[in-house]
Structures are given as C-alpha cells and as structure tokens.
Amino acid sequence: NSSVAILARDFACVPHGSFATARLTVVSMAKLARVQPDMGDPSWPTRLELTTLMEEQTIEELQKVGKDNGLLGLCSRLGTDPQRGLTNPVADWSGRVAQFGENQFEERKLTPYWRFLLVQLKEKIILLLLFMATLEIVIKGIFGEGMERTEAIAESSVLYATVTIIVNIAAFLDWKRERMFEALTKRLAASNMRYIIRDGTQMQVTDEHICVGDIMSFNAHLAAIISFDGILLSGQDVRCDESALTGEPEPIAKSAEKPFMISGTTVNAGKGTMLVIAVGEYCIAGKIKKSVYGGEGGGELSPLYGKLDAMATRIGKVGVVCALTAMIAILIWQYGVHKSTNYKQLMDIFLQTIGILACAIPEGLPLALVIALALTSNKMSSENNLVKTLNSCETMGSATTICTDKTGTLTTNRMTTRAAWIDGVMFEVQGTEPVGPRVAADTRVDAGRKELLAHLMCVCTMDESGFRYGDDGKTPIFLGNPTECALLKMAEELGYKYADVRELVVGRSANTIDQGVSKVFTSSRKMMSWAVPKPEGGYRVYAKGASEIILSRVVNTFQAGKEVKMDDDEVDNLTDMVISKFAKLAMRTIGLAYKDVDTIDSDEVDPLIKNTDGSPAFSMETGLTLLGIVGIEDPLRPEVAPAIVRCFKAGIDVRMVTGDNLATAIAIAKGAGILNMELHCDKNGEVLPKRAMEGKVFRKMVHDYNAEGEATFNQAKFDEVWPYLRVLARSSPDDKLTLAKGLNASTVFEDKEKCRMLKVQEKIEIFPDRQVVAMTGDGTNDAPALKNADVGFAMGIAGTQIAKDAANIILLDDNFASIVVAAKWGRNVFDSIQKFLQFQLTVNISILTLNVICAVIDIKCPLTVLHLLWLNLIMDSAASVALASEPPTDELLERPPVNRHDSIVTKQMLMNMIGVAAYEVGLMIFLLLDYEWIPDLQDHHSDPMTGPKSRHYTMLFNIFVLMQVFNEYNARFLRGEWQIWRGLNNNRLYLFISIGTMLLQIIMVQVAAPVLTFALKIHPAGLSWRQWLI
C-alpha cells in the first residue's frame, strides 16, 4: 500500500471536527477579511527554523523543529489543526505575516516617468534639434541684430516647446504601456487559484491569501502547482516533478520518509494535503525569484514589432538620403550658384534638414504596434480572452486551424445524467428531466444496488468536485469536475448526500482517508478508482471511467437483481444497445463498477491488460463487476454552430479533439457544423473515411513502428491524413501534440497538383502557406500541445493551473465563440498596423519628395522645421493612437487568413500611398508656383506675396496639414473602399484625436499667429475665410 499516512497517530491532543471535503467554496475577499491581532505567538517556530528545515530536508530536522514530535509537533507549534486547518478568517493573520512573511513579492518598482523622459531625450534627432536650437540662440540671438535676433529667440523657444511636447507624449505612451503590462500581470496572478482548508471547509483562494500554517489540498489534476514550501500531511501516490529546481528527470515519490514539498515544483501524480511552512520570498523558489527579480522586464515584444522596427530603419535610411540630397542641392544653389556670403543661413539649412529627418524616420511605426497590441489585449479581456502573451493577439489573426476540445468549449459544461442502464434495466431519455428520480422510484432496481451505486458516485470522485444550490435553493452550482458533479447530483436524487457519504465511509472521510487507496483519473487510463476498507474486513474498490474502458475490465454484471458472468456477447450487446445508443444522442457514457478483495496493493499491475497508452493496468482496476452505465448530456452551446460557420467563411478549419467516444464526438460535431453533411458525409449520412477516427487509429496511421513496437512520427503519412481529419475521438494528450507539431511542419501547400485534386475531388481547400495552429486544452497533460501550438488556449473554468501556465490566452468562459472573437481581434491588429503604415508612408513620401523638388528647383520650401515637427507630432503620436484604436468589424472574418510570408504592404496599399502622395505633392507644387489667383494674399501693400511669413506660405502649410488630417480617414481602409466615414461612430477616440488635431491647427494658424509669426513663419493675421474655403 503506497498511501502515505504521516499523521497516522492519535490526534486527541489536537482539537478537530468533521472535515467537509466537498463543501467547495470560492471565497470572496470579504470572507477573507484579515483580523488584526497581536504580533505573533512566542511558541511559533522562527522563520529561520522553517527555512533551515527546507534547506536540510531531513526527518531529524523535522523532529527538532517539532519539539521531538515531528510533523504533529510542528502543526501544534503553528496553531494548526491537521484536519480543520486554521480558522476562517485567520485570527492571527498579521502576526503570521510579520513573523513568516507574506505569500507575495514586493511589487516591482515601475519605471518613473522622468526616466522615460530621459530615454526620449537621448534620441539622436531630439539631441540634434536641441543642439541646433541652442546654437541658433547663441549665434543669431547674441551676435545677430534687430529682427534677426527676435526671430532666432522666438524660433528657438518654440523649437524647445515642440521638443518638450514630443518627448512628453512619447514618454507618456511608454509609461502607460508599462502600467498596462503590470495590470495584465496582476490579472493573471488573480486567476491562479489554490485550494486550502480552513475551519474544516475547502475553499479557493489566490496566493496572497495563504499564510504559514495553512493546509493546502492538491492533486495532479486541478491543483498541481506548488507555490510555497510545505510538509506532506497525507497523500496517496504523490509524485512531484522537481526537475526545474534539482535537474532530476524522474518524478520524486513523496512519503513519510520524504515529505518535503518544494515551491516551484509540480504534482504530476496523486493527491493529498500539505502544511505550508514557507511563503513568498522566504520559500525556496521565492529566494531564487528574488535574486533575479530586478531583471524582470515589462513583457515580450511581438515578432511583427521586429519587422516594423527593421522597416522603420530602412525608411529612415531613405529619409537620410533624401534629406542630405535636399541639403546638398540648397548649398549648391546658395553658395555655388548665387555666391551667397551669408553663412548664418547654414543654421537654417541644417535645421531644415533635421526637420526632414524627424519626419522621415517613422519611430511611431513600432509604437503603433505596441499600442495596438496593448489596446487589443485589454479589449479581448472584456470579451473573455485573458491574453498572457501579447504576440499571441497578432498570431491569432493568421490562424488557419483551430483544434478544439468538446466538453465545455463546444458544449455548455452543464452536465446532467439523462439516461442509464442499471441492474439490467434501461432508462431512456425522457424530455429534459434527469434520470436519477426515475431510477430512485423504479422497484425493478434493487435497493441495495441503488445504495452501492450512490456510494460509488460519492466516494470515487475528487475532493474538489461538489455542488451547492443558488439563491433560489433549486439550481445547482457545480464546483470542480462537471462530469463528477452530475454523478454527485444523481446520487442525491437517489437519496444520498455526497458530503454525508464521504464523511461516513471509512477510507474516504478526512479522519480515515489514510486507510483508503485512490487512483486519480489520468488520460492514459481514462478511469478513476478508490478502495475503502469494509467493516467485516477486506476492501471494496469503486471504479468509474469511459464506458468501453470499464467494459473491458469487468467480468461480472447484474441482471434482474442477480450477479451473472459477463461474456463477449453481453459486452457486444451493451456496446450496441446502450453505449452506442446513448452516444448517438450526443451523451457522454460513463461506466460504473466495483469489486471486493481481501487485500490490496495499489502498485500491482496486470501484465495482460493494457491502458490506452500501452502501459499495464493496475490490478485493483481489473476483474470488476459492472453496476451500470449512465448517459450524461452536455448540450451544445447555441452560439457554437454560428461561430463555426464564421470560421469556415474566414478560411479557418475547425477540428474537434476529444476524449469522448467516437459516436458521441460525431453527434456533437454534426450539430456544431464541424462535420458538414454535404462535405463530410455520404448520401446516407455516414461519415466519409478519414473524417472522423479514434486516437488509436490515428496513431497507427501517422507513425512507423519498429520490431520492438516503438513508434516514430512520419510527416509524409501525417500529410495524407490531416487534410481530411475533422474529428479525433478517444484522443490522448500526445495526439494533440502530434497534431500541433505535424500541422506546423506540413508542406502540403507546396504540392500544387495535390492541392488542386483535393479541391476538385474532395472539396478540401489547403491554405497556401504553412498552417498557423490554435489549440485548446484544459488538462495538465495538454500543456506540451498548448506550448507547441502557435496559440494555446487554456480553459479558465475547467482548466488546470499547468494548462493555464502553458497557454498564451485563457478563455475565461471556456467558450469556443470566444476563440472566434480572438481571431477577429488578431486580424484587427494586423489591419491597424497596415492602416498606420499606409498613413505614415504617404506623409513620408510627400514630405521627402516636396523638399527634394523645392531644393532642386531652388524654391524656398513652404514647410519650415517647426512645420515639420508639428507634422511629426500628428503622424507619429496622434495617428498611431488613433489608427491603432480602430475596433474590429465582422468583415474581418469574411476573408482568408493573412499569409505568413505576405508583405505587410499590399499592392492596393502601394497604389493608395503613391496616388495620395502624388496628389499632395502635385497640388503643393502647383500652388507654390501658381499663386496669383489666390484671394486675400496681401492685407497691406507691404505684405509679401510669397515666401516665409506670407499668407501664401501660411496657406500652403495649412493645406498640407489638412491633407494629412483627412488622409487619416482614407487610411482607415486598405482595399479601395470609398465609404471612408463608415464605422466612425464606433471609435470615439479616433474622432477625438482627429477633431482635436483640427482644432489645434485652427488655433495655431488663426489665434496664435500674432505670437508665433516669427517662430513658425506664418502670417500674423492668419488666413481669410476664403482661403480656408480653398
């Protein structure tokens, strides 16, 4: 017997009461209110004693800390009841925190605003502008005379002010981004729930609400992450993966001789409870984390960020060439052709060159992506997608395949027992009522069999599974595993409350749990068992699991109240008449069995009977007697079928990967639309070959086997299967991993003839690039597949902590429709970047072309350095926020995914940019050369007709800015659309920025003109109403 019974001694010295293991409560913050007590208890062990215990990890040290009474003595010193835990709320919380520390880290100090300012001030362009502004004050302001001095001081002052605005906006955006990352980190931390026991009640809390002295309940399924140091109190078959800390590749068995549970490790087998003795920065993992804490960053950058950064660098180089060309041309005209001796003009020429560079280098390009991803992650969170890695938002926009679970994702996860076969009696589906009351009332089923069945359901279920009733006292609220919750509800309908049964059964109650033996559910066995001692001696083993697995393990069954042998004919009959019948009604079928034995060895295996993964079955789970088969209905979510239709329209294939049997999976897939009656079924409604299969068939089709039976993945064989595959039933986590890796590596798209034949003969379209795979998972064993997929989705409700840790996005509602929402937002990120790029490059082309043309034909450019800086402010900061904040539209899911290797600049975008830039430059050159017809050019005869500070140049500056403001509306569309106003009512931020920019331009030209005329080189009276109309 491998069960651990560390506290198998008289507990009379420690007060205890009943342990309501099933009363699972999600604890509110109010219930966890911390009572302020005295500062600790002198009888408590010191923090040094506890940390030394975890460093030494010896029984001798445990005896020493426990005052020669070992673990029981340590519990006594910490004031912990080994069964009931601490009180709720913890009466001496602050004392424990003061003595042992808190189970959280001091918040990472965020970068102060002034540091972001310093970073921006170190930008080369900013430094050049400040240097030239200072130089202009020194040369012209000190050595100049009259108007020249006044203009120099005014221009330099405005230049300083403009630089101040630019660096503050850029610094603010970086400051805000860091805090958005921090908020995301806190939200993720809040989603990490642990199970603890207080006042004998099991409850869910977050890490910061756990203190030294608490008792934590754990298992390899739902609560596998150990986030603090502790000592094993009780457990069965507990094995921990400590490779991350010790490098030991094999799981470490925990027992009375090795009871030390180390923070940062994972429970990959068994279940139990542990006493928490070190938390936060004082536990082993905490010390490691603290040593590297200062190196933590604010989050990862997207791969697209790198592409845009490289593109910005290339565009900047073109800008440098153009700026230098313009500067050389001006110098040649000024000092070569015109023989000018006014060398103070060199200052203006250099300033103009720097202004061109400031506009030409699109530093807002990567910034726009960061803003788009941050805004998208926040919006997705409000739509039940908690984003852990920002680049997954972008990647999801290119998704071509979604491999989804069935239970809880496609279905509601509201399990109800609707049909049953018990004691040879068939209870078929009747309306929408559960089957339990009918079984209870039916006299054909022996009363003893009903009791045995109810006890099996109550005993052979996890501690975390249970239910309570809502405010109406009628609606059950399931907590833990939904399938087990449905069985527990049926047990109550049979007249047995699960909490009472668990408390009364020796080997299952908290007081006697060490006398029982349990084997928790694993995907390789697809069953669970629990052995409890019988009053007259020996053990009774309860088992439940997938119906066909249980059928393969039974040797007897009950018929008309009598126990009879189970032969092959009876197995076939039950498979056809019960299991297949229930499965075709889209019900999950669960087999329930038991056996009585004299002795039990939990580690003994049967060499003749194998699990689904080929490993030998445990002997205690063979030779069973079948009690019954129940059909559990989990209705399809009403929103799933429309969501899958949207996926197909968007060019995204949906494949179901489930542990259910094939018939149930096919029934659900047909209802959801994953299996289309026209595309995937024959005229009789039967599924075509390769469209739906079981995991064992799939494995044989995609692997090669050597003489010893060892499997090797064969990509070529896989490529012959996956284009057809829509449903994979009775799958293992390894099957998911095979799908993720195989789809990613597939190059079927390169075989154009094969793709053409698949489309013509099978109506199967292959995406013309490598597959981008999104994978859902909820179990611990799903973690490798979630890691290997391009985007891993973990279930927020039913998912294990390890699955959540491995995933990129957590589905807060476990709903497939939310994955489609993620795809839409992902595509929107890519579109937002394209919109900003289209806008940015159009302005760059216009400014560079205009300056080069003016320099070459020897005309003073109407855009001064301050005009260019104002345009830079509009382009980089304002436009990046405005265009990155565009919400997604349903039209995004009406086109294929983005090809991985497609250029981010499409042909249509290039046409748009060249066309608009040509219009802008052409109009500016026309108005620059032909201006006599423009009304109101002179207020007075002394006014210049053209040149700096004239109404002509003021009007050109105004026209160029307004063209950019309105081109921002054009940039909202990428595919030649004409209705540029469409959807503006859905983006108030965009309208606010656009209108705000327009108002600032009006204020600059009309209101501030008298003050800024020397600096901005605009007319002191601004523009007339007729010029505004033009």
Side-chain angles (χ1 to χ4, degrees):
N1 191 336
S2 65
S3 66
V4 178
I6 298 171
L7 293 179
R9 63 181 72 201
D10 187 6
F11 281 98
C13 58
V14 183
H16 62 273
S18 63
F19 171 27
T21 54
R23 292 182 213 152
L24 185 62
T25 308
V26 180
V27 182
S28 67
M29 293 303 108
K31 267 191 116 176
L32 287 168
R34 299 165 180 175
V35 181
Q36 294 296 326
D38 57 2
M39 294 304 289
D41 188 321
S43 66
W44 287 346
T46 65
R47 188 170 63 222
L48 179 60
E49 285 183 283
L50 297 178
T51 53
T52 302
L53 173 60
M54 287 308 299
E55 288 170 359
E56 298 293 332
Q57 294 188 25
T58 63
I59 297 298
E60 291 74 20
E61 191 67 28
L62 177 58
Q63 284 291 108
K64 178 181 174 182
V65 177
K67 300 297 184 183
D68 296 325
N69 202 14
L71 183 51
L72 183 60
L74 180 56
C75 288
S76 180
R77 290 188 70 185
L78 287 172
T80 301
D81 185 314
Q83 297 175 51
R84 296 180 58 81
L86 297 174
T87 59
N88 182 37
V90 179
D92 48 8
W93 175 275
S94 61
R96 290 177 186 272
V97 170
Q99 178 132 334
F100 304 115
E102 201 165 9
N103 195 32
Q104 59 182 342
F105 288 85
E106 182 181 347
E107 289 191 10
R108 183 172 62 90
K109 291 182 180 179
L110 299 178
T111 308
Y113 183 73
W114 64 269
R115 284 194 178 276
F116 287 116
L117 278 177
L118 280 181
V119 171
Q120 294 302 321
L121 285 170
K122 291 177 182 178
E123 290 290 330
K124 293 176 183 177
I125 295 295
I126 297 297
L127 290 174
L128 277 172
L129 286 170
L130 292 174
F131 172 74
M132 296 303 292
T134 305
L135 200 62
E136 185 170 24
I137 286 181
V138 171
I139 295 176
K140 291 185 178 179
I142 297 176
F143 300 106
E145 298 178 356
M147 189 63 69
E148 185 182 44
R149 176 183 295 177
T150 303
E151 287 190 0
I153 293 173
E155 186 169 357
S156 295
S157 299
V158 174
L159 200 55
Y160 284 133
T162 305
V163 168
T164 301
I165 293 170
I166 289 173
V167 298
N168 271 280
I169 289 176
F172 172 77
L173 291 173
D174 281 340
W175 177 85
K176 184 69 175 175
R177 177 172 63 88
E178 186 184 48
R179 276 142 186 83
M180 290 174 79
F181 276 119
E182 186 68 12
L184 173 61
T185 301
K186 288 181 177 179
R187 185 161 186 184
L188 287 171
S191 72
N192 293 338
M193 305 300 290
R194 315 291 179 202
Y195 294 92
I196 62 170
I197 299 164
R198 287 185 186 162
D199 276 340
T201 300
Q202 186 161 276
M203 53 184 64
Q204 276 185 293
V205 299
T206 51
D207 280 335
E208 67 267 23
H209 293 102
I210 296 174
C211 65
V212 168
D214 264 322
I215 292 177
M216 176 189 173
S217 173
F218 63 85
N219 62 60
H221 181 64
L222 285 173
I225 301 292
I226 305 298
S227 59
F228 26 72
D229 294 338
I231 310 292
L232 189 67
L233 281 170
S234 64
Q236 294 182 343
D237 296 328
V238 178
R239 288 179 173 81
C240 293
D241 179 2
E242 298 181 356
S243 58
L245 289 178
T246 65
E248 176 61 47
E250 294 299 322
I252 305 298
K254 298 298 176 180
S255 63
E257 291 73 34
K258 294 182 178 180
F260 301 98
M261 307 289 286
I262 306 174
S263 54
T265 63
T266 302
V267 178
N268 60 6
K271 60 185 285 294
T273 59
M274 61 178 278
L275 173 70
V276 178
I277 66 168
V279 296
E281 61 188 56
Y282 302 108
C283 65
I284 291 175
K287 291 174 184 177
I288 297 172
K289 183 176 181 181
K290 187 180 179 182
S291 68
V292 297
Y293 197 79
E296 287 191 356
E300 89 298 336
L301 294 175
S302 159
L304 184 56
Y305 184 99
K307 292 180 185 178
L308 292 178
D309 204 24
M311 180 178 284
T313 302
R314 291 195 297 270
I315 295 169
K317 289 177 181 178
V318 174
V320 169
V321 171
C322 292
L324 290 175
T325 302
M327 185 183 75
I328 292 169
I330 293 171
L331 290 173
I332 291 172
W333 279 107
Q334 200 71 25
Y335 299 103
V337 178
H338 301 307
K339 308 295 183 183
S340 173
T341 57
N342 183 7
Y343 291 101
K344 288 181 182 179
Q345 285 186 348
L346 283 171
M347 185 74 62
D348 297 327
I349 296 170
F350 288 137
L351 270 175
Q352 183 74 8
T353 303
I354 296 169
I356 296 171
L357 285 174
C359 285
I361 298 175
E363 62 269 20
L365 200 51
L367 176 66
L369 176 61
V370 173
I371 293 171
L373 290 174
L375 289 173
T376 295
S377 68
N378 277 354
K379 293 288 187 182
M380 285 174 65
S381 293
S382 66
E383 298 194 40
N384 296 310
N385 283 268
L386 180 55
V387 179
K388 289 180 60 187
T389 54
L390 285 187
N391 62 2
S392 60
C393 300
E394 164 210 326
T395 308
M396 196 55 206
S398 301
T400 60
T401 294
I402 299 174
C403 298
T404 177
D405 284 328
K406 177 186 76 70
T407 304
T409 310
L410 299 176
T411 58
T412 61
N413 218 16
R414 293 294 305 166
M415 305 285 192
T416 306
T417 51
R418 298 289 312 285
W421 179 91
I422 299 168
D423 213 5
V425 180
M426 177 70 115
F427 296 88
E428 298 194 18
V429 176
Q430 289 186 7
T432 59
E433 296 303 312
V435 74
R438 285 188 285 132
V439 175
D442 198 307
T443 57
R444 291 175 295 173
V445 180
D446 181 76
R449 212 83 65 244
K450 294 175 186 176
E451 180 181 10
L452 187 58
L453 195 67
H455 275 232
L456 186 154
M457 294 173 177
C458 297
V459 170
C460 193
T461 43
M462 293 187 298
D463 290 346
E464 292 74 26
S465 296
F467 64 89
R468 57 184 173 84
Y469 287 100
D471 296 335
D472 60 2
K474 297 179 181 179
T475 305
I477 298 174
F478 287 176
L479 303 160
N481 183 283
T483 300
E484 292 190 340
C485 291
L487 293 175
L488 294 176
K489 184 68 174 66
M490 182 176 176
E492 185 174 277
E493 291 162 354
L494 292 175
Y496 298 86
K497 292 187 176 181
Y498 68 91
D500 295 339
V501 173
R502 287 177 177 176
E503 188 62 29
L504 291 172
V505 173
V506 176
R508 186 63 178 84
S509 68
N511 297 357
T512 62
I513 198 166
D514 57 283
Q515 298 179 39
V517 177
S518 67
K519 293 290 184 184
V520 297
F521 177 89
T522 63
S523 56
S524 62
R525 290 166 35 246
K526 295 193 181 300
M527 65 182 299
M528 174 184 181
S529 61
W530 200 306
V532 296
K534 295 193 300 179
E536 64 273 19
Y539 288 86
R540 174 160 288 173
V541 180
Y542 294 112
K544 74 175 195 314
S547 54
E548 63 269 33
I549 301 297
I550 294 294
L551 270 187
S552 69
R553 306 288 177 88
V554 299
V555 293
N556 298 309
T557 186
F558 286 99
Q559 293 279 6
K562 297 180 180 179
E563 187 170 343
V564 297
K565 289 288 183 181
M566 176 76 79
D567 55 23
D568 291 341
D569 290 339
E570 184 61 20
V571 169
D572 293 340
N573 181 58
L574 286 174
T575 300
D576 295 337
M577 302 305 296
V578 179
I579 297 175
S580 296
K581 189 171 186 178
F582 290 174
K584 287 178 180 178
L585 294 174
M587 286 189 288
R588 168 175 287 183
T589 56
I590 302 295
L592 306 169
Y594 86 106
K595 74 174 180 178
D596 292 329
V597 293
D598 295 330
T599 60
I600 194 161
D601 182 351
S602 63
D603 291 328
E604 183 184 350
V605 296
D606 188 327
L608 301 178
I609 300 177
K610 304 292 184 181
N611 295 314
T612 56
D613 65 349
S615 61
F618 291 115
S619 295
M620 64 179 282
E621 295 179 340
T622 62
L624 303 171
T625 297
L626 182 66
L627 281 176
I629 297 169
V630 295
I632 300 179
E633 183 183 63
D634 186 13
L636 189 70
R637 291 179 185 268
E639 64 270 25
V640 162
I644 287 175
V645 170
R646 294 175 72 192
C647 283
F648 290 148
K649 283 186 178 179
I652 304 172
D653 277 337
V654 181
R655 293 174 169 84
M656 180 201 292
V657 186
T658 178
D660 266 344
N661 70 46
L662 188 58
T664 303
I666 288 173
I668 288 290
K670 286 180 177 179
I674 294 174
L675 285 174
N676 186 286
M677 296 300 290
E678 294 181 3
L679 298 177
H680 308 123
C681 300
D682 60 22
K683 294 179 180 179
N684 299 319
E686 296 297 321
V687 179
L688 294 171
K690 295 185 183 179
R691 271 60 172 190
M693 64 182 70
E694 290 188 337
K696 60 184 179 181
V697 177
F698 171 75
R699 290 188 285 274
K700 288 179 180 178
M701 293 181 74
V702 302
H703 288 91
D704 291 327
Y705 294 87
N706 61 17
E708 288 75 31
E710 294 177 342
T712 304
F713 176 71
N714 186 315
Q715 183 68 49
K717 287 185 175 182
F718 179 85
D719 288 344
E720 292 298 321
V721 174
W722 77 259
Y724 302 90
L725 186 64
R726 288 295 173 271
V727 176
L728 187 58
R730 288 294 183 229
S731 66
S732 69
D734 284 342
D735 295 334
K736 283 189 173 183
L737 183 59
T738 299
L739 272 175
K741 288 183 173 181
L743 286 168
N744 266 317
S746 178
T747 56
V748 169
F749 67 95
E750 294 178 350
D751 189 339
K752 303 302 180 185
E753 179 59 25
K754 182 176 181 178
C755 292
R756 189 187 69 81
M757 295 300 293
L758 282 170
K759 184 174 182 180
V760 173
Q761 296 178 1
E762 306 286 352
K763 298 181 181 179
I764 296 173
E765 291 197 37
I766 303 297
F767 186 72
D769 202 346
R770 288 187 182 274
Q771 295 287 310
V772 178
V773 183
M775 179 77 68
T776 72
D778 57 6
T780 297
N781 291 337
D782 290 332
L786 295 177
K787 272 287 186 187
N788 278 274
D790 294 283
V791 183
F793 286 88
M795 303 299 109
I797 299 171
T800 64
Q801 192 57 54
I802 295 177
K804 293 177 186 178
D805 289 342
N808 306 104
I809 299 174
I810 298 173
L811 289 179
L812 299 177
D813 60 352
D814 291 10
N815 193 340
F816 179 85
S818 297
I819 302 176
V820 182
V821 169
K824 183 167 74 171
W825 275 102
R827 293 187 179 193
N828 191 62
V829 168
F830 197 80
D831 270 22
S832 295
I833 301 310
Q834 285 186 311
K835 291 170 186 178
F836 178 71
L837 189 61
Q838 181 171 266
F839 173 77
Q840 174 96 66
L841 293 184
T842 301
V843 186
N844 284 354
I845 294 169
S846 298
I847 288 175
L848 294 175
T849 305
L850 182 62
N851 275 276
V852 170
I853 289 174
C854 288
V856 170
I857 65 176
D858 192 23
I859 295 179
K860 184 73 174 179
C861 184
L863 302 177
T864 68
V865 61
L866 286 169
H867 296 162
L868 293 173
L869 290 178
W870 169 236
L871 283 163
N872 186 58
L873 202 61
I874 295 172
M875 288 190 309
D876 281 346
S877 302
S880 62
V881 174
L883 292 171
S885 65
E886 281 281 276
T889 61
D890 290 337
E891 286 81 2
L892 289 170
L893 294 177
E894 293 179 1
R895 62 173 192 256
V898 177
N899 193 309
R900 284 192 190 209
H901 299 105
D902 279 353
S903 170
I904 194 170
V905 178
T906 65
K907 290 181 180 179
Q908 182 66 54
M909 286 171 62
L910 197 60
M911 288 174 58
N912 294 346
M913 290 185 293
I914 294 173
V916 173
Y919 159 73
E920 290 179 355
V921 173
L923 181 61
M924 290 292 289
I925 296 296
F926 168 73
L927 293 175
L928 186 62
L929 299 175
D930 186 9
Y931 55 85
E932 289 85 356
W933 60 274
I934 300 174
D936 306 328
L937 283 182
Q938 288 180 300
D939 265 0
H940 306 283
H941 290 294
S942 59
D943 277 357
M945 284 288 288
T946 188
K949 291 190 287 188
S950 69
R951 271 192 161 172
H952 177 214
Y953 269 42
T954 303
M955 185 175 173
L956 288 174
F957 163 59
N958 197 50
I959 286 172
F960 194 82
V961 170
L962 293 185
M963 283 193 294
Q964 309 321 315
V965 171
F966 284 94
N967 187 41
E968 214 171 312
Y969 289 86
N970 294 329
R972 293 177 60 243
F973 296 94
L974 304 165
R975 293 166 179 81
E977 298 92 335
W978 288 89
Q979 298 173 318
I980 62 171
W981 313 109
R982 181 161 52 92
L984 281 175
N985 57 311
N986 296 323
N987 192 354
R988 294 181 181 178
L989 179 60
Y990 181 95
L991 288 173
F992 175 80
I993 291 173
S994 180
I995 294 170
T997 306
M998 187 74 176
L999 290 174
L1000 285 174
Q1001 180 66 14
I1002 293 171
I1003 291 169
M1004 182 184 293
V1005 173
Q1006 296 300 121
V1007 180
V1011 179
L1012 301 178
T1013 183
F1014 294 116
L1016 292 176
K1017 305 292 192 295
I1018 58 177
H1019 195 275
L1023 299 177
S1024 69
W1025 65 270
R1026 288 189 291 184
Q1027 289 170 333
W1028 272 102
L1029 281 178
I1030 292 173

